[in-house]
Amino acid sequence: MKKIIISVLLLGLIGGASAYYYAFVYMKNRKFDMVNAEAASVDASVLVKAYQENETSANASYLDKVLLISGTVSATDQTQMGERTLTLSSEDPFSGVMVTLDSAEAAAVNVNDQVKVKGFCKGYLSDVVVTNAIIVK
Amino acid sequence: MKQQMTKIAAVVILLVCAQYSQAQKVYATKTGQIAFNASSPIEKIAAINNQTDSKFVGENGQVIFAVLIKGFKFENQLMEDHFNENYMESTKFPKADFKGYITNIKDVNFSKDGSYPVTLDGNLTLHGVTNKVTATGTMKVAGGAPEMEGTFKIKLKDYKVEGLYIGEKIAPEVAITVKCKYQ
């Protein structure tokens, strides 16, 4: 009986420690592997048009998914945290794809460059917003 | 004498036009920052969004802030997943926005560097629920570029955000901090 109680306590302890490690250590330090993540390919113009025509339907297809987006850089900037941003143009001069690059992404990008970026689609404001992105050669 | 008067009049008209166009200007950013803090004594729960879309009109103070819920970044991915799936239901309600007015915009001189207290009055829509919100903050002007900062608190229950840990690990009242540099 004593052995059973000790075994149950030990299992509980190991389970609790594992859960704590998973929730507060592993998940805190885990970095999403964007390089090897599967991605749906889409042109920046097609993506913007999809959101402008039907945001709900576009969200069902693209929201929080990893996308590989092709387009032309119309502007470069940075967030207030210093992360680099690119805007990919679309057929609508007032709307594009606003891409925030991962802080580790070091590739040089200039206005008018044709690029492919891979990142998470976060939805649509005045632009389609893409974050955690990397440049794909 | 007449020529001099004409020149002076032209300069005055130009100055008035410059002042008027400054006031008419729409200031905008797509990389504004909104952070929230729902930490409790038990756990730190805070996130930041650096893709806030905001505009305001210099003349009448009309202002909008819009943010994508899935754009909030947490230190812990698991916490971010729970925030989106269990609390904010961000697939169903992907955006939050504040639409209103800076009620004392006339007190801000965009031509003069300085720090001006501002009051915002409007409607905050979050989790599909809209409530009236009044917030105070500061408009800093440097070289004609304004930067708005402010913090206000909301109660999660007012926006029908419900969940197991609200009131325990998650504070029932959330502090929202806005910091937007406009162009």
Side-chain angles (χ1 to χ4, degrees):
Chain A
M1 186 64 184
K2 198 176 170 184
K3 277 185 181 175
I4 294 170
I5 293 170
I6 290 170
S7 301
V8 168
L9 283 175
L10 266 176
L11 280 173
L13 199 66
I14 291 166
S18 304
Y20 180 86
Y21 176 81
Y22 175 77
F24 298 104
V25 181
Y26 172 75
M27 291 304 280
K28 191 173 176 180
N29 296 311
R30 191 186 74 151
K31 177 127 172 89
F32 183 79
D33 184 6
M34 188 61 79
V35 175
N36 295 309
E38 280 189 30
S41 297
V42 63
D43 188 82
S45 296
V46 173
L47 186 61
V48 170
K49 202 171 178 186
Y51 267 101
Q52 288 178 328
E53 284 179 356
N54 188 334
E55 193 173 340
T56 306
S57 159
N59 269 336
S61 303
Y62 302 118
L63 185 62
D64 224 20
K65 305 246 167 58
V66 176
L67 303 180
L68 179 63
I69 307 159
S70 309
T72 306
V73 178
S74 60
T76 61
D77 201 347
Q78 62 178 31
T79 67
Q80 290 173 196
M81 295 284 279
E83 303 151 311
R84 292 193 299 154
T85 65
L86 319 172
T87 304
L88 304 182
S89 57
S90 75
E91 286 169 14
D92 180 351
F94 294 106
S95 188
V97 180
M98 221 277 280
V99 180
T100 302
L101 295 176
D102 188 280
S103 52
E105 176 57 70
V109 181
N110 298 303
V111 171
N112 293 327
D113 283 357
Q114 292 280 333
V115 294
K116 279 186 180 177
V117 296
K118 194 174 176 187
F120 281 111
C121 176
K122 296 295 180 182
Y124 185 69
L125 292 172
S126 49
D127 295 319
V128 178
V129 174
V130 172
T131 63
N132 301 72
I134 57 169
I135 307 283
V136 177
K137 305 288 178 193
Chain B
M1 182 67 178
K2 195 179 174 185
Q3 266 188 335
Q4 264 188 332
M5 288 297 285
T6 310
K7 277 181 188 170
I8 290 167
V11 169
V12 168
I13 288 166
L14 273 174
L15 284 172
V16 168
C17 286
Q19 187 70 31
Y20 184 70
S21 65
Q22 191 80 4
Q24 281 282 352
K25 191 173 174 183
V26 175
Y27 296 92
T29 179
K30 291 178 179 178
T31 53
Q33 193 178 86
I34 290 184
F36 80 80
N37 193 331
S39 298
S40 68
I42 304 170
E43 198 156 0
K44 183 190 171 191
I45 299 166
I48 197 161
N49 185 313
N50 289 307
Q51 288 82 26
T52 303
D53 202 315
S54 177
K55 292 182 181 77
F56 76 89
V57 184
E59 186 186 26
N60 63 6
Q62 190 176 1
V63 65
I64 181 167
F65 297 92
V67 74
L68 292 163
I69 302 299
K70 282 187 185 281
F72 278 97
K73 277 176 102 168
F74 288 71
E75 278 183 15
N76 186 321
Q77 184 61 48
L78 192 64
M79 211 177 263
E80 189 172 311
D81 295 345
H82 285 174
F83 166 80
N84 281 298
E85 290 161 20
N86 304 338
Y87 294 92
M88 296 304 293
E89 302 177 273
S90 54
T91 302
K92 193 174 170 188
F93 306 110
K95 292 178 189 177
D97 64 39
F98 173 90
K99 291 175 185 169
Y101 285 87
I102 303 164
T103 53
N104 60 336
I105 193 72
K106 298 290 182 202
D107 296 342
V108 180
N109 184 349
F110 293 99
S111 307
K112 189 179 173 188
D113 287 3
S115 187
Y116 304 89
V118 287
T119 301
L120 281 75
D121 210 358
N123 291 311
L124 174 67
T125 302
L126 177 74
H127 195 239
V129 178
T130 302
N131 285 311
K132 281 207 167 299
V133 166
T134 300
T136 55
T138 307
M139 184 82 79
K140 289 179 189 165
V141 177
E147 178 181 340
M148 197 156 27
E149 272 188 60
T151 300
F152 62 100
K153 286 188 172 181
I154 60 162
K155 287 179 180 163
L156 291 174
K157 68 173 184 184
D158 290 347
Y159 294 87
K160 293 189 167 53
V161 179
E162 292 161 351
L164 193 59
Y165 296 117
I166 293 173
E168 294 172 21
K169 286 182 179 177
I170 302 167
E173 202 169 48
V174 176
I176 296 175
T177 304
V178 179
K179 189 177 181 184
C180 288
K181 290 180 180 177
Y182 296 89
Q183 290 176 337

